[in-house]
């Protein structure tokens, strides 16, 4: 670049004289040029960084997106696992421990120690909030699994000490899975098929052809075997330990009052007697005279998959047949 030359007018001799800059002025000029060059270069580099993805940047961005998707997937799976554990804990407190007459676990016992976690311990990342949420869920699930494992150990110990009780508690389906046509209705509030009014259905209806075998669901003594208004041909069994079961709308009764029965014994045949709109078995389980949801009492003869299907069917079956 051509060097600039400066002149100054001298009125004394009425001529222009060349002006030579001082050392400091020259240094400042070169410094200014250098700073301008740096600023322009930085602006160009920043623009390229923002507008153009370098191979490494594209790779890291892709990895980050994959990691975020994985965290979201883990979050969803943890949520499902926690729901399963919540259901298991509810069954543990309200069914298994009731059977063994063991006090239910309190919330403090199940969730003690979880408040020690501090999400601030997690490294500060853009997805820090989601990572903290997933970590919270993982700790929650680990605690539930640990406590539930201890609870099952306690139940196993109680079972070994109460084998007679277990043989009497109803714990199988009254109609075999192979013979059952469908789950007609589960336990809960339903619309009466004859009167059209809302009423509580105290048992479960198993739709099956007339003559299908009906089995005792636990050891006990037949307390009633005969006609019962509304229920038609009915069998009631007293299992002891405050448990009773009822089998209604039968076509045949194959036991008599006072007869001892074992779990799995043939006691009658499915029918359509009494207040009934189709061939089926109405089955009830009562504890201290209070109706229980029978779906909680099939733990001895159903696989986990069959049990899950049974729960789903009982909750969604709304066609009451009696």
């Amino acid at each position: 670049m051509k060097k600039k030359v400066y002149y100054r007018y001298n009125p004394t001799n009425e001529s222009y004289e060349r002006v030579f800059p001082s050392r400091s002025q020259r240094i400042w000029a070169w410094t200014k040029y250098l700073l301008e060059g740096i600023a322009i270069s930085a602006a160009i580099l920043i623009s390229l960084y923002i507008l153009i993805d370098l191979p490494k940047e594209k790779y890291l961005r892709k990895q980050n997106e994959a990691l975020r998707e994985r965290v979201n997937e883990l979050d969803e799976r943890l949520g499902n696992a926690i729901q399963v554990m919540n259901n298991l804990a509810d069954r543990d407190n309200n069914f298994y421990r009731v059977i063994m007459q063991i006090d239910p676990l309190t919330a403090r016992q199940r969730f003690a120690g979880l408040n020690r976690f501090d999400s601030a311990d997690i490294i500060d990342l853009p997805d820090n909030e989601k990572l903290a949420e997933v970590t919270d869920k993982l700790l929650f699930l680990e605690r539930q699994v640990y406590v539930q494992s201890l609870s099952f150990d306690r139940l196993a110990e109680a079972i070994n000490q109460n084998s007679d009780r277990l043989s009497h508690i109803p714990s199988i389906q009254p109609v075999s899975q192979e013979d059952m046509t469908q789950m007609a209705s589960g336990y809960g509030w339903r619309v009466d098929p004859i009167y059209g009014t809302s009423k509580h259905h105290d048992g479960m209806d198993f739709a099956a052809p007339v003559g299908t075998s009906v089995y005792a669901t636990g050891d006990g003594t037949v307390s009633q075997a005969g006609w019962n208004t509304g229920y038609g041909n009915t069998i009631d069994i007293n299992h002891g330990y405050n448990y009773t079961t009822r089998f209604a709308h039968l076509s045949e009764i194959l036991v008599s009052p006072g007869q001892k029965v074992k779990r799995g014994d043939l006691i009658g045949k499915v029918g359509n007697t009494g207040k009934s709109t189709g061939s089926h078995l109405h089955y009830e389980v009562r504890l201290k005279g209070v109706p229980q949801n029978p779906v909680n009492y099939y733990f001895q003869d159903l696989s986990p998959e069959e049990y899950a299907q049974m729960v789903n069917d009982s909750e969604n079956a709304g066609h009451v047949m009696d």
Side-chain angles (χ1 to χ4, degrees):
M1 185 176 69
K2 188 176 180 180
K3 185 177 181 181
K4 290 183 179 181
V5 179
Y6 297 92
Y7 293 89
R8 181 175 56 190
Y9 178 73
N10 187 346
T12 303
N13 55 19
E14 298 180 348
S15 63
Y16 286 92
E17 298 175 349
R18 186 174 177 177
V19 177
F20 294 93
S22 65
R23 179 184 177 85
S24 60
Q25 289 175 327
R26 291 197 303 269
I27 292 175
W28 166 245
W30 282 108
T31 302
K32 183 173 65 172
Y33 294 145
L34 180 62
L35 292 176
E36 289 175 351
I38 292 175
I40 293 172
S41 300
I44 293 173
L45 289 175
I46 292 173
S47 299
L48 290 175
Y49 179 80
I50 295 174
L51 299 176
I52 301 176
D53 276 340
L54 299 176
K56 184 176 181 180
E57 294 295 330
K58 295 175 76 172
Y59 174 76
L60 291 176
R61 185 173 287 107
K62 186 176 181 180
Q63 289 291 95
N64 190 44
E65 291 175 356
L67 180 60
R68 185 178 291 109
E69 291 178 1
R70 181 61 175 165
V71 170
N72 288 333
E73 179 186 346
L74 289 174
D75 181 52
E76 183 178 354
R77 291 173 61 184
L78 279 171
N80 293 335
I82 288 173
Q83 183 60 48
V84 171
M85 287 303 303
N86 285 338
N87 292 338
L88 193 58
D90 183 64
R91 286 170 59 80
D92 183 28
N93 276 347
N94 299 300
F95 173 60
Y96 301 131
R97 286 177 168 265
V98 170
I99 288 177
M100 293 295 104
Q101 297 187 2
I102 301 174
D103 291 336
L105 294 176
T106 65
R108 176 176 296 182
Q109 289 172 312
R110 286 194 180 276
F111 309 123
L114 290 179
N115 57 349
R116 298 176 189 170
F117 173 70
D118 184 2
S119 59
D121 293 337
I122 296 179
I123 188 170
D124 187 18
L125 296 172
D127 295 319
N128 183 31
E129 185 175 344
K130 171 58 72 174
L131 190 58
E133 181 182 345
V134 172
T135 305
D136 274 333
K137 287 184 178 180
L138 180 59
L139 290 174
F140 183 78
L141 180 61
E142 287 176 343
R143 175 64 186 180
Q144 281 188 299
V145 171
Y146 172 72
V147 173
Q148 195 60 59
S149 175
L150 294 181
S151 178
F152 282 156
D153 288 344
R154 176 69 182 92
L155 287 170
E157 180 183 348
I159 286 172
N160 292 331
Q161 298 172 355
N162 293 273
S163 57
D164 182 69
R165 178 195 299 272
L166 286 181
S167 67
H168 285 76
I169 292 173
S171 58
I172 64 172
Q173 286 186 175
V175 177
S176 70
Q177 193 75 5
E178 295 77 15
D179 294 335
M180 189 176 70
T181 303
Q182 66 176 359
M183 172 62 60
S185 179
Y187 175 90
W189 288 95
R190 299 288 188 269
V191 176
D192 189 286
I194 296 178
Y195 303 115
T197 58
S198 179
K199 62 174 291 188
H200 192 274
H201 192 236
D202 291 341
M204 295 180 72
D205 291 342
F206 295 86
V210 172
T212 299
S213 298
V214 176
Y215 303 98
T217 55
D219 297 0
T221 303
V222 177
S223 57
Q224 176 191 339
W227 185 265
N228 188 330
T229 303
Y231 287 102
N233 289 327
T234 303
I235 298 173
D236 288 346
I237 298 178
N238 186 343
H239 300 275
Y241 302 100
N242 298 313
Y243 281 98
T244 59
T245 52
R246 170 165 290 182
F247 309 79
H249 309 298
L250 302 170
S251 61
E252 293 183 56
I253 294 176
L254 304 179
V255 291
S256 56
Q259 181 177 336
K260 301 287 186 181
V261 294
K262 293 287 187 180
R263 179 181 294 129
D265 284 353
L266 178 64
I267 59 174
K269 299 292 183 68
V270 170
N272 188 24
T273 59
K275 188 173 79 69
S276 171
T277 59
S279 175
H280 75 289
L281 171 71
H282 174 83
Y283 174 64
E284 296 180 9
V285 177
R286 293 177 179 263
L287 175 61
K288 298 181 180 179
V290 179
Q292 307 293 305
N293 189 345
V295 78
N296 291 325
Y297 291 82
Y298 304 137
F299 54 87
Q300 282 207 359
D301 66 339
L302 293 180
S303 68
E305 293 76 16
E306 290 173 333
Y307 180 79
Q309 185 63 46
M310 169 66 70
V311 172
N312 180 71
D313 291 344
S314 68
E315 290 178 348
N316 293 292
H319 180 59
V320 180
M321 301 185 71
D322 50 44

